[in-house]
Amino acid sequence: MSRMSLRIADIPELDLRGFAAPEPFLRALAAADALGAGAAVCVLTPMLPHPLLAALTERGLRWAAEERPDGGASVRIERPPA
């Protein structure tokens, strides 16, 4: 599945905003590590997760983060196709 073929509605969303640190970071990394080639997940976090973004980059994963009006963030994480 190419990046362009993934529709937003097809991407699972994981809401981590109700958890205390470091739980959002740990759960987001677990979800990212479980992704198959070409798969994606969107995580909602209580703030823009700079340490998570660095960890995703170190793992070779693609991500796009967007701050939300409530102060949280939406982070789309994708494992590149094989």
Side-chain angles (χ1 to χ4, degrees):
M1 188 176 330
S2 74
R3 181 180 185 120
M4 298 306 289
S5 66
L6 284 175
R7 297 177 328 170
I8 296 298
D10 295 335
I11 300 172
E13 186 175 87
L14 186 59
D15 190 347
L16 304 174
R17 294 174 290 181
F19 296 97
E23 203 62 30
F25 176 83
L26 297 174
R27 289 181 183 224
L29 278 185
D33 288 343
L35 290 173
V41 65
C42 180
V43 296
L44 303 177
T45 58
M47 65 186 70
L48 190 59
H50 294 287
L52 173 63
L53 303 180
L56 296 172
T57 299
E58 288 174 7
R59 285 170 159 74
L61 298 170
R62 298 176 185 162
W63 57 266
E66 181 179 315
E67 291 187 279
R68 298 171 54 94
D70 65 2
S74 173
V75 182
R76 183 180 185 277
I77 305 165
E78 181 183 331
R79 182 171 302 283

